[in-house]
Amino acid sequence: MKIGFLGTGAWGYCLARLLSGKGHKVTSWSIDANQIELLKKTDTQISFTENLEEALEDAEMIVESVTSKGIRPVFEQIKKIKIPECPMVITSKGIEQNTGLILPDILLEIFGEKSKDKIAIISGPSFADDVIRGLPVSVVGASFFRETMINVCDLFTTETFRVYPNADIVGVSYGGALKNIIAIACGISGGLSLGDSCNAALITRGLHEISKLAVGCGSKPETLYGLSGMGDLCLTCGSILSRNYRFGSLLAQGNSPEEAKNKIGMVVEGAYTCLSALQIGKKLGISMPITETVYKIIYE
């Protein structure tokens, strides 16, 4: 299969490698010219390009791995080139600020209802390094349509990367997005040496916050207790490998949000999403004390 891959960050690169390793022809796109040149020299399994049209040419599937903030401008650019007739798989996690849209709904807004059967997401507890090393990883594949969901799960599944189907694309989206906020809180707790008991309380009450908001937005409750909810939450909140946890820890050490982001050198999705989550919570009348506190620490 010819796959157009959008984004060459750690997560995007590891998934592109996974698909390439299964024999698919992958063309990865990025706006970072220096990174593209470096990857061309170090990886001959994948084609790399700065030309979006080249990545989309004859693509039988498009896989997104930019950022939640970058999804809209990238896919609006794609719409100007052509409206995709192939499946589009989202692997970023987040909620758009001010609109409150989960990432699949952004694509729906751009391409219209006729694209609904083509939209899918992959989400769950997964570090890029574990996937690259071939360690056992289990995630969830979701779509509005069963056939698309099954095809995406089959496409990405390997002997060590298991993709379970889940029909609740709304719940999977919220679980993946909201856990990053709780991870920042846990990083702050860890940075202040508040103890494992505090961390356990934050994870448990954080899952309660996530479930309340997600169910209020149409998710199925059981989805949030699966891989894309509790599973992702446990991983992100308990490891220094998590950029959101690391961000919180750096804040606790006295760094400003910008200093912390610069030290991490990658996008911290929880810092972006906490504003969106708080906006939705206020609109629905849902109390979210952990999210509100994280927001105040970052923005106020």
Side-chain angles (χ1 to χ4, degrees):
M1 182 181 286
K2 170 74 186 334
I3 298 171
F5 211 107
L6 313 176
T8 54
W11 184 234
Y13 177 69
C14 88
L15 289 181
R17 286 276 299 182
L18 180 148
L19 294 171
S20 175
K22 292 186 71 176
H24 299 292
K25 185 180 179 182
V26 181
T27 302
S28 289
W29 167 85
S30 173
I31 58 172
D32 189 332
N34 292 330
Q35 188 180 53
I36 289 294
E37 286 306 308
L38 177 63
L39 288 168
K40 282 180 177 179
K41 295 175 183 176
T42 56
D43 191 322
T44 57
Q45 291 186 39
I46 302 170
S47 298
F48 297 97
T49 182
E50 297 171 63
N51 188 320
L52 187 55
E53 290 188 42
E54 184 181 339
L56 298 174
E57 188 177 0
D58 299 325
E60 297 168 82
M61 182 172 287
I62 297 170
V63 183
E64 172 280 332
S65 191
V66 285
T67 63
S68 57
K69 187 177 181 180
I71 277 188
R72 183 179 290 278
V74 168
F75 277 94
E76 284 179 343
Q77 191 177 345
I78 288 173
K79 186 179 181 180
K80 292 177 182 177
I81 298 170
K82 66 175 182 179
I83 296 178
E85 296 182 1
C86 62
M88 297 176 282
V89 184
I90 297 167
T91 74
S92 294
K93 301 171 182 178
I95 304 171
E96 190 174 46
Q97 288 185 356
N98 300 317
T99 68
L101 293 177
I102 54 175
L103 308 189
D105 286 344
I106 295 175
L107 266 60
L108 274 177
E109 188 173 270
I110 293 171
F111 297 113
E113 283 292 317
K114 60 187 177 183
S115 68
K116 196 169 188 177
D117 63 337
K118 301 178 182 66
I119 298 171
I121 66 171
I122 284 182
S123 186
S126 47
F127 286 146
D129 186 59
D130 291 343
V131 178
I132 285 284
R133 292 168 61 197
L135 301 178
V137 174
S138 293
V139 297
V140 167
S143 178
F144 294 106
F145 280 75
R146 177 174 174 77
E147 184 178 350
T148 304
M149 174 183 69
I150 297 300
N151 289 340
V152 167
C153 290
D154 289 344
L155 178 75
F156 281 88
T157 293
T158 70
E159 289 184 354
T160 56
F161 191 77
R162 173 72 179 271
V163 188
Y164 288 89
N166 188 309
D168 182 15
I169 192 171
V170 175
V172 172
S173 297
Y174 277 107
L178 298 174
K179 56 89 184 179
N180 286 326
I181 303 166
I182 310 304
I184 293 174
C186 288
I188 294 170
S189 169
L192 295 174
S193 300
L194 298 184
D196 294 337
S197 299
C198 180
N199 198 59
L202 284 169
I203 291 173
T204 307
R205 294 306 302 173
L207 182 59
H208 181 63
E209 266 187 41
I210 291 170
S211 299
K212 283 196 301 181
L213 189 70
V215 171
C217 293
S219 307
K220 295 179 181 178
E222 57 268 27
T223 300
L224 286 310
Y225 294 93
L227 286 168
S228 60
M230 184 176 68
D232 211 353
L233 184 68
C234 289
L235 179 71
T236 313
C237 291
S239 175
I240 197 66
L241 293 177
S242 160
R243 67 186 72 172
N244 291 280
Y245 182 96
R246 222 157 56 239
F247 175 74
S249 180
L250 287 167
L251 292 180
Q253 294 167 25
N255 293 277
S256 70
E258 286 308 311
E259 288 170 340
K261 288 177 185 176
N262 289 336
K263 286 184 178 181
I264 291 170
M266 295 180 284
V267 174
V268 180
E269 291 286 15
Y272 178 80
T273 301
C274 72
L275 172 60
S276 314
L278 196 59
Q279 289 171 336
I280 297 170
K282 287 181 177 179
K283 183 179 179 180
L284 297 178
I286 295 173
S287 175
M288 302 182 70
I290 300 174
T291 300
E292 185 172 357
T293 303
V294 169
Y295 170 81
K296 287 180 177 178
I297 289 171
I298 295 173
Y299 293 100
E300 297 179 3

